[in-house]
Amino acid sequence: MPQTGPAVLFTEAVIRKRVRELGRRISKDYAAVDELVLVGILRGCYIFLADLSRCLTIPRRIDFMAVSSYGQKTTPGALRLIMDTRTDITGKHILIVEDIVDTGRTMHFLQETLSARKPASLKSCVFLRKPDRLEKEVHIDYLGFDIPDLWVVGYGLDYADRYRALPYIGILETGDV
Ligand code: IMP
Ligand code: MG
């Protein structure tokens, strides 16, 4: 059989349904808030954020941050901010929007960095989480799905910058690389 691409974990229809559910919950929870700032973490968040933000029925703004890990040779796992938000988040209601939580290091770093700026509230919305890989305690307020310890691609997620535009969440296997 010819290789047809990564095996399907979540179809487009399943993704759409779950994103709508998250959007409804978030809209309900923030109904009394004057404005919500969605802070998307580049680059993996871009499709999830686009879909989620269009499911919300509350006033919202979009902003972005980007984080990068230092090379393994220096301090393993150390993170640095390579792009910051445009908005001053102090006193604002902030929702971090992230594609996936793996070890939890990125989310932990973001939560520490953003909470130090004294937002009015700080919550997180994550599309996927790998519970078996967690090293850091991170609180996730809105979660799409828990998944097994696999490398997944599509819906914004990549492998070496490939597969981001795949419309479904697929499991990367050796034959796909
Ligand atoms: P963490 O800091 O270990 O939680 O890793 C978070 C980052 O690693 C995510 O934001 C992704 O960019 C990347 N990542 C982790 N697992 C996957 C995966 O299965 N597919 C694509 N990217 C992943
Ligand atoms: Mg990411």
Side-chain angles (χ1 to χ4, degrees):
M1 279 255 295
Q3 182 55 258
T4 52
V8 179
L9 182 61
F10 300 118
T11 62
E12 285 184 74
V14 166
I15 294 171
R16 200 176 312 120
K17 182 166 176 278
R18 190 68 184 129
V19 173
R20 284 205 191 120
E21 286 166 2
L22 291 172
R24 269 197 294 273
R25 272 182 49 208
I26 294 168
S27 298
K28 199 166 155 246
D29 292 354
Y30 287 91
V33 159
D34 49 331
E35 187 178 65
L36 175 65
V37 184
L38 302 169
V39 176
I41 311 308
L42 294 171
R43 287 173 285 182
C45 78
Y46 79 112
I47 294 178
F48 177 45
L49 179 65
D51 285 350
L52 181 72
S53 62
R54 288 179 296 175
C55 290
L56 300 178
T57 54
I58 48 167
R60 69 275 190 194
R61 277 172 181 255
I62 310 293
D63 211 326
F64 293 98
M65 287 174 100
V67 173
S68 156
S69 38
Y70 286 103
Q72 294 294 323
K73 284 181 215 113
T74 53
T75 327
L79 292 156
R80 85 195 141 106
L81 211 56
I82 55 172
M83 193 188 103
D84 209 340
T85 58
R86 281 203 181 187
T87 335
D88 175 8
I89 70 157
T90 305
K92 305 263 169 60
H93 293 279
I94 304 299
L95 183 64
I96 301 172
V97 180
E98 175 65 307
D99 54 353
I100 186 163
V101 165
D102 185 24
T103 63
R105 287 203 206 113
T106 307
M107 186 52 82
H108 179 80
F109 171 79
L110 288 166
Q111 288 176 340
E112 295 234 301
T113 305
L114 294 183
S115 64
R117 298 177 185 177
K118 307 274 177 267
S121 68
L122 180 64
K123 286 191 182 186
S124 57
C125 178
V126 174
F127 191 57
L128 303 173
R129 173 176 66 184
K130 299 180 191 171
D132 300 341
R133 297 258 312 157
L134 277 177
E135 290 172 15
K136 289 268 183 192
E137 277 277 325
V138 286
H139 181 73
I140 298 174
D141 299 279
Y142 305 97
L143 175 69
F145 301 100
D146 270 328
I147 62 166
D149 182 9
L150 299 165
W151 195 265
V152 289
V153 292
Y155 199 62
L157 290 114
D158 74 311
Y159 172 76
D161 239 351
R162 290 173 59 206
Y163 297 110
R164 286 195 199 274
L166 198 70
Y168 61 92
I169 294 285
I171 301 164
L172 197 77
E173 280 144 16
T174 342
D176 300 318
V177 183

